[in-house]
Amino acid sequence: MYLLVPQHPLQSWMDPREQALVVQYLQRSNQTTRQKQIGSGATMLEYGAGSSTFFYSNYVHRYVSIEHNMDYCRILERMAASQPNRSIIISYMKSDSSGFIETNRFKQNVPLSNVDPSIQIYCIIPTYAMLFRRFWHIGERSTYSMYQNYVDFVSSYLHNQLFDFVLIDGRARPQVAYVVLKHLNGPHAKVFVHDWNKRTGYHVIVHEFYNIVSRQIESDQLGGGGLVVLERKLYVRGTAKIAEIQWKKSKEPSWWL
């Protein structure tokens, strides 16, 4: 989730009412975990890193964020350095036909090599083909082909990991919403999608894949804002490849691939 300038990450870049709704769910999960005395806390996945990464990670045990903008990843390093006591790794990931490889790493306050940091950010380096598509279609809706390795990262590199919460606030949000389905930790895992109000293309995901369980529509956020809280439909698993989805209630959008 982007900031216009690299401010200190005290708050997420959301309307305070949207932020409060997310925090409400995270705190409720923490209370349930303490009552049951199981596990070590909730895990959260985010697409679109930023101030939200450092803010919401205070409420969960482990926070994984995925970002596509390399310039912004350097800003994230400075944000991390402003919080020297927090355990943070920022990995720069390059993809090829064999998968992903880490090309560079920012590491802070990680005492042991086999201990997961509380915040793990993956910066996904785009291929030249993806950069060309983005440039050629500048100003148009994000498609899967523009951000393919970014969208696919969770299923390609983190394929065995499940998450209690997912925040989607980066590029190609409907496609990301589909890909994360098989990474949700049970039918009641929550997915937060930001900027819902005016970006009606996002709404296809509730026709096909998710149910809305809560929302904060009133927003003073630039661009219209609005936040929805989703749970996957019970019959949806998200196992098909993104180009092989069997659409049930609508046609595949022209911008999907």
Side-chain angles (χ1 to χ4, degrees):
M1 183 186 308
Y2 298 145
L3 283 174
L4 298 180
V5 293
Q7 302 175 13
H8 191 278
L10 295 176
Q11 301 289 327
S12 69
W13 194 244
M14 283 182 172
D15 183 286
R17 293 164 292 185
E18 299 166 350
Q19 176 181 290
L21 182 58
V22 176
V23 170
Q24 173 186 324
Y25 277 95
L26 301 184
Q27 289 180 326
R28 187 182 302 168
S29 174
N30 287 338
Q31 292 169 357
T32 301
T33 300
R34 285 197 297 269
Q35 289 168 358
K36 293 183 177 180
Q37 296 182 342
I38 60 174
S40 53
T43 58
M44 187 164 178
L45 173 68
E46 173 186 52
Y47 264 86
S51 291
S52 54
T53 308
F54 300 97
F55 179 72
Y56 292 125
S57 57
N58 289 303
Y59 296 91
V60 296
H61 173 67
R62 177 157 164 75
Y63 200 99
V64 177
S65 189
I66 302 171
E67 176 55 45
H68 75 280
N69 186 311
M70 296 304 104
D71 291 334
Y72 198 72
C73 285
R74 298 303 181 187
I75 295 175
L76 293 172
E77 290 188 22
R78 297 200 294 273
M79 288 182 176
S82 72
Q83 304 173 80
N85 294 326
R86 302 194 72 182
S87 173
I88 302 168
I89 291 178
I90 302 177
S91 298
Y92 291 81
M93 308 297 294
K94 182 178 180 180
S95 64
D96 57 25
S97 58
S98 62
F100 286 90
I101 184 171
E102 185 181 58
T103 62
N104 197 11
R105 170 182 286 199
F106 169 94
K107 183 169 69 171
Q108 173 179 286
N109 199 27
V110 182
L112 299 173
S113 60
N114 62 340
V115 174
D116 289 333
S118 59
I119 300 174
Q120 170 72 67
I121 301 172
Y122 293 101
C123 295
I124 313 304
I125 301 170
T127 65
Y128 289 117
M130 292 174 206
L131 288 173
F132 175 79
R133 292 188 185 100
R134 295 177 199 177
F135 177 79
W136 190 255
H137 298 282
I138 192 167
E140 298 181 16
R141 183 183 295 277
S142 299
T143 65
Y144 173 65
S145 60
M146 292 180 191
Y147 295 92
Q148 183 173 348
N149 63 353
Y150 165 76
V151 172
D152 286 344
F153 183 78
V154 65
S155 55
S156 298
Y157 195 78
L158 306 175
H159 50 86
N160 291 323
Q161 296 192 29
L162 299 176
F163 298 92
D164 303 294
F165 300 99
V166 179
L167 172 60
I168 303 176
D169 201 16
R171 295 290 187 173
R173 296 182 205 184
Q175 295 91 331
V176 167
Y178 174 77
V179 168
V180 301
L181 280 164
K182 60 185 177 183
H183 295 276
L184 299 178
N185 189 20
H188 299 298
K190 301 297 187 291
V191 176
F192 308 103
V193 181
H194 192 217
D195 295 320
W196 186 260
N197 288 350
K198 294 185 178 180
R199 303 186 188 186
T200 55
Y202 295 175
H203 299 183
V204 68
I205 65 177
V206 298
H207 299 154
E208 295 286 337
F209 315 129
Y210 290 94
N211 295 315
I212 297 176
V213 297
S214 187
R215 66 182 80 196
Q216 175 58 52
I217 296 303
E218 293 183 3
S219 175
D220 295 326
Q221 182 73 27
L222 292 174
L227 180 90
V228 290
V229 185
L230 310 175
E231 290 182 355
R232 68 170 175 83
K233 296 181 185 293
L234 291 178
Y235 59 83
V236 173
R237 293 293 182 270
T239 54
K241 293 181 179 179
I242 200 165
E244 300 173 356
I245 298 170
Q246 298 297 312
W247 298 83
K248 297 181 181 299
K249 297 184 179 180
S250 55
K251 294 182 179 179
E252 179 182 276
S254 60
W255 44 263
W256 186 256
L257 298 177

